[in-house]
Amino acid sequence: MTGPIGKTEMSPELRDIRMRIAGLPEVDDSYWNPPDGDKEKAAWISQKKEILRAAAQHAGLPEELVAGIAWKEIAGQPGIFDDGSDTVRQWAESPLSPITPENLPSRAGGAPDETSFGPIAIQLRRGAEVLGYDPAHLTEDQRDLVEESLQDPRQNAFIAAGFLAQIKAEAGYGDVPADQLTDAQMREIAARYNGGPYWQSEKAQNYGNDFGDSLRKVKDAMR
């Protein structure tokens, strides 16, 4: 760790990301109103293409892989709902709660650190890993810093790309150069992004196929 940020220490990985985004353009935040439909998603990708491209290059990935995952994720629920889920899950984790976080109803159920944040939705624990923190032993200040970083669109793109690079390596494609990664391999990485250890499930496979089917639109938006 090098250099304090408020009450906590910034990891070298997070410091590197923040130095890199300093030279990139500011972008609009879709926290309250995420894009809806292909036209709005294409506009979102086009506005942030320089950031997505820089994030992909930094992670050694094809730009369409990072942008394609963004295309799939950015039309999700507004950020305020992510914050609400996190608040409810943390409350349920307290000794005073009559129910555990995992047993909360519907989409609210799950451990607090499994809450996803940011326009390219990433679980907090996965973001912590990418940023060099130990997700099993996060301090409250570290957790706040990771959440803050995930919710910033520019940092979020770099963290998502870092997570995709981890998945690429875990899938056995770590030595495949970015320009040689096939569409089929990218579909698999997308399915793994969605499903984790259950990436071969129907839901995750459908996600991977939808990702692949959107690549032409993604590439057009990145031009």
Side-chain angles (χ1 to χ4, degrees):
M1 302 294 180
T2 55
I5 295 295
K7 297 180 180 179
T8 192
E9 295 288 326
M10 180 182 290
S11 69
E13 292 84 353
L14 180 53
R15 179 172 295 278
D16 179 63
I17 288 174
R18 292 198 173 183
M19 290 178 65
R20 290 176 184 276
I21 67 168
L24 294 171
E26 295 284 348
V27 294
D28 294 335
D29 188 1
S30 56
Y31 177 83
W32 292 102
N33 186 29
D36 181 27
D38 287 358
K39 185 176 180 180
E40 291 187 12
K41 288 194 288 186
W44 192 99
I45 296 291
S46 181
Q47 184 205 28
K48 298 168 179 64
K49 62 185 177 183
E50 188 174 341
I51 294 161
L52 295 168
R53 186 168 289 131
Q57 290 174 349
H58 177 56
L61 299 172
E63 63 181 48
E64 62 266 29
L65 174 56
V66 178
I69 294 296
W71 181 281
K72 286 289 297 174
E73 294 292 335
I74 55 177
Q77 63 185 12
I80 187 66
F81 289 102
D82 295 331
D83 288 343
S85 294
D86 185 52
T87 299
V88 170
R89 289 175 179 184
Q90 290 197 64
W91 171 81
E93 198 175 46
S94 75
L96 300 177
S97 171
I99 187 172
T100 64
E102 291 78 9
N103 289 318
L104 287 166
S106 188
R107 295 182 63 180
D113 288 350
E114 292 177 354
T115 307
S116 294
F117 292 100
I120 307 176
I122 308 172
Q123 289 185 355
L124 189 136
R125 59 176 180 158
R126 300 302 185 195
E129 290 174 356
V130 172
L131 294 176
Y133 298 104
D134 180 357
H137 300 94
L138 283 176
T139 67
E140 196 62 33
D141 287 334
Q142 287 173 342
R143 191 182 192 280
D144 290 345
L145 186 58
V146 173
E147 181 180 334
E148 170 196 309
S149 302
L150 286 173
Q151 290 185 334
D152 173 68
R154 296 187 300 172
Q155 295 178 70
N156 174 264
F158 276 81
I159 297 169
F163 184 37
L164 286 167
Q166 289 182 358
I167 295 172
K168 175 176 178 278
E170 291 167 1
Y173 307 134
D175 294 332
V176 179
D179 60 354
Q180 294 180 25
L181 206 62
T182 67
D183 283 0
Q185 289 169 337
M186 287 194 288
R187 284 175 187 255
E188 179 183 333
I189 292 169
R192 288 176 179 271
Y193 185 94
N194 177 260
Y198 309 106
W199 67 274
Q200 292 179 303
S201 68
E202 182 179 1
K203 176 178 176 289
Q205 288 296 306
N206 287 340
Y207 182 100
N209 289 332
D210 288 344
F211 160 88
D213 293 344
S214 301
L215 279 178
R216 181 184 57 80
K217 297 173 186 177
V218 170
K219 291 177 182 178
D220 287 344
M222 288 291 289
R223 290 177 181 167

